[in-house]
Amino acid sequence: MSTVGYINISLETFGGMLSLIFILCLILTGHKKERSEKLYICVLSINTIVLFCDAAAWLFKGRPGDWSFYLVRIANFCVFCFSYILLAVFTEYLVCIVSSKGSIISKLPSRIMGGLSFAAILLVVISQFNHMYYIIDAYNIYHRQHLFWLSQMFGILCMLIDGSVLFLYRKRMEKRELAAF
């Protein structure tokens, strides 16, 4: 494995461990009563899964053996799917935060995001059979395919929706809250 691979695994693992520590601190201090706090813990949990799955994909990339064969495929699939779930849950969290500031906000952004995430996950499942997003060769190496850009468009659309919510309701939020997003 290359130096870049080892650095990537280290950073992903560090980020996952940091997210786990945040989750543990939030749970131990009792910060899980309000809906926004529960959603924040959910965002951190999904982020932890994404980071550890990505680290596993890097770790088993290019290694021979039955374990590596399955783990690299499962890890890459999970990175795609949980990333889309993360976008949907984050939007739900954002809508919850904005509505807690006294703004009347529609559930439309959350519904759109849920629909986009569902469609994106469905296409990832389809991609496992027609290889439109990626393929993993006989040497357990990940290769992007001709429609990989489509998988990224879902993330871009989701970020545009979240950015629109932040822009529309920016006056209700404090500057330090906007900086956090």
Side-chain angles (χ1 to χ4, degrees):
M1 181 179 304
S2 69
T3 304
V4 172
Y6 285 118
I7 291 171
N8 210 0
I9 291 169
S10 299
L11 291 174
E12 302 267 3
T13 305
F14 176 76
M17 294 301 291
L18 199 59
S19 290
L20 279 176
I21 290 169
F22 289 155
I23 293 165
L24 185 63
C25 289
L26 289 170
I27 290 172
L28 290 177
T29 57
H31 287 101
K32 55 181 179 177
K33 295 176 181 97
E34 292 185 24
R35 185 167 189 271
S36 63
E37 292 167 343
K38 290 178 182 177
L39 284 170
Y40 186 63
I41 291 172
C42 191
V43 166
L44 284 172
S45 300
I46 296 167
N47 185 56
T48 303
I49 293 169
V50 170
L51 289 169
F52 284 146
C53 285
D54 204 25
W58 274 93
L59 184 64
F60 294 104
K61 174 183 168 184
R63 294 182 186 236
D66 290 338
W67 279 96
S68 294
F69 176 85
Y70 291 109
L71 287 174
V72 84
R73 284 158 178 77
I74 292 168
N76 278 295
F77 178 78
C78 288
V79 167
F80 273 83
C81 291
F82 281 104
S83 293
Y84 295 130
I85 294 169
L86 179 62
L87 289 168
V89 174
F90 177 78
T91 301
E92 186 67 29
Y93 171 71
L94 179 61
V95 168
C96 182
I97 291 295
V98 170
S99 64
S100 74
K101 300 291 178 186
S103 298
I104 298 172
I105 183 169
S106 168
K107 291 282 186 186
L108 186 62
S110 295
R111 289 187 182 132
I112 291 172
M113 197 68 76
L116 284 172
S117 295
F118 179 78
I121 291 170
L122 186 63
L123 287 175
V124 171
V125 171
I126 292 170
S127 174
Q128 301 307 298
F129 302 102
N130 69 3
H131 307 294
M132 65 184 178
Y133 288 164
Y134 65 91
I135 190 168
I136 299 172
D137 65 17
Y139 301 104
N140 280 339
I141 305 290
Y142 169 95
H143 301 281
R144 292 179 179 164
Q145 293 300 94
H146 62 286
L147 288 177
F148 176 77
W149 63 269
L150 181 61
S151 71
Q152 302 305 295
M153 289 305 297
F154 284 103
I156 292 169
L157 284 172
C158 292
M159 286 189 288
L160 288 172
I161 292 169
D162 288 343
S164 300
V165 170
L166 284 171
F167 181 76
L168 291 172
Y169 295 96
R170 70 188 180 281
K171 293 186 180 185
R172 293 276 189 186
M173 301 180 80
E174 297 175 22
K175 287 187 180 190
R176 67 178 181 88
E177 290 174 323
L178 286 172
F181 286 108

